[in-house]
Amino acid sequence: MKKYLSHSVEETENIGQEFAKTLKPGDVVAMYGGLGAGKTAFVRGMAKHLCPDVLVTSPTFTIMLEYTGKYRVCHFDMYRISTFDDLYNIGYFDCIDSDAICIIEWSENIPFGLPDRYIKLTINALEDEVREITAEEIK
Ligand SMILES: Nc1ncnc2c1ncn2[C@@H]1O[C@H](COP(=O)(O)OP(=O)(O)OP(=O)(O)O)[C@@H](O)[C@H]1O
Ligand SMILES: [Mg+2]
């Protein structure tokens, strides 16, 4: 397990950018952390490495955003997702079974939809702007 400590949004983005260098096509990153933990900020950092120049926003309303750069990335926000049918209908499993790097915000909502292997990325808000970020490989 890898553990990082962030003291600002910028630091979270930088950690995300460094973390992204460990990824390869087909990897799935399941993010946990609760409202406003810093998941989208972390993904913004990841995208700086994976798809430079792409604008990352929160896919809360669109559910899925796709970015193309050095890698193909599918960025999900499962905040409003609760069933297997929802996942099926948004094309989630097509992405999971492809060579895209899949990044999932609000993985708490889709325990039934995670693949056999994934990287569990947790952001814990400690105090004010301090965040503990852990990355753990699940298989
Ligand atoms: N160390 C930090 N890292 C990241 N964000 C921080 C940090 N300290 C404070 N923040 C603030 O926390 C918020 C994080 O927002 P962000 O959209 O990245 O969170 P999120 O986990 O994606 O939220 P949501 O649950 O809505 O998807 C921002 O307002 C940011 O300014
Ligand atoms: Mg978000």
Side-chain angles (χ1 to χ4, degrees):
M1 189 188 321
K2 277 190 214 129
K3 199 175 269 195
Y4 314 84
L5 206 60
S6 164
H7 303 84
S8 66
V9 187
E10 294 72 28
E11 203 177 347
T12 296
E13 286 187 21
N14 290 339
I15 294 166
Q17 188 172 358
E18 284 309 304
F19 166 77
K21 293 177 185 169
T22 67
L23 298 175
K24 56 185 190 311
D27 280 351
V28 175
V29 181
M31 303 187 79
Y32 297 79
L35 212 58
K39 301 179 290 295
T40 301
F42 191 88
V43 177
R44 226 169 20 242
M46 291 175 76
K48 282 188 193 163
H49 172 70
L50 301 172
C51 302
D53 302 325
V54 151
L55 180 71
V56 171
T57 55
S58 177
T60 306
F61 296 100
T62 48
I63 315 280
M64 180 182 115
L65 289 169
E66 196 170 340
Y67 314 122
T68 318
K70 262 191 280 184
Y71 298 87
R72 193 162 73 86
V73 174
C74 297
H75 178 193
F76 295 93
D77 189 324
M78 303 304 188
Y79 190 66
R80 290 181 165 72
I81 298 291
S82 55
T83 68
F84 186 89
D85 279 358
D86 289 342
L87 288 182
Y88 187 78
N89 290 330
I90 62 171
Y92 170 77
F93 295 107
D94 299 325
C95 292
I96 289 289
D97 295 335
S98 77
D99 64 359
I101 292 175
C102 295
I103 307 172
I104 308 161
E105 295 194 40
W106 286 100
S107 298
E108 287 93 335
N109 288 354
I110 59 142
F112 49 84
L114 294 176
D116 293 338
R117 307 174 63 109
Y118 60 93
I119 298 154
K120 180 174 184 179
L121 195 297
T122 308
I123 305 184
N124 267 321
L126 297 184
E127 53 185 86
D128 299 331
E129 302 200 15
V130 185
R131 303 288 191 270
E132 183 190 69
I133 303 170
T134 57
E136 182 186 2
E137 204 174 330
I138 307 289
K139 50 187 167 186

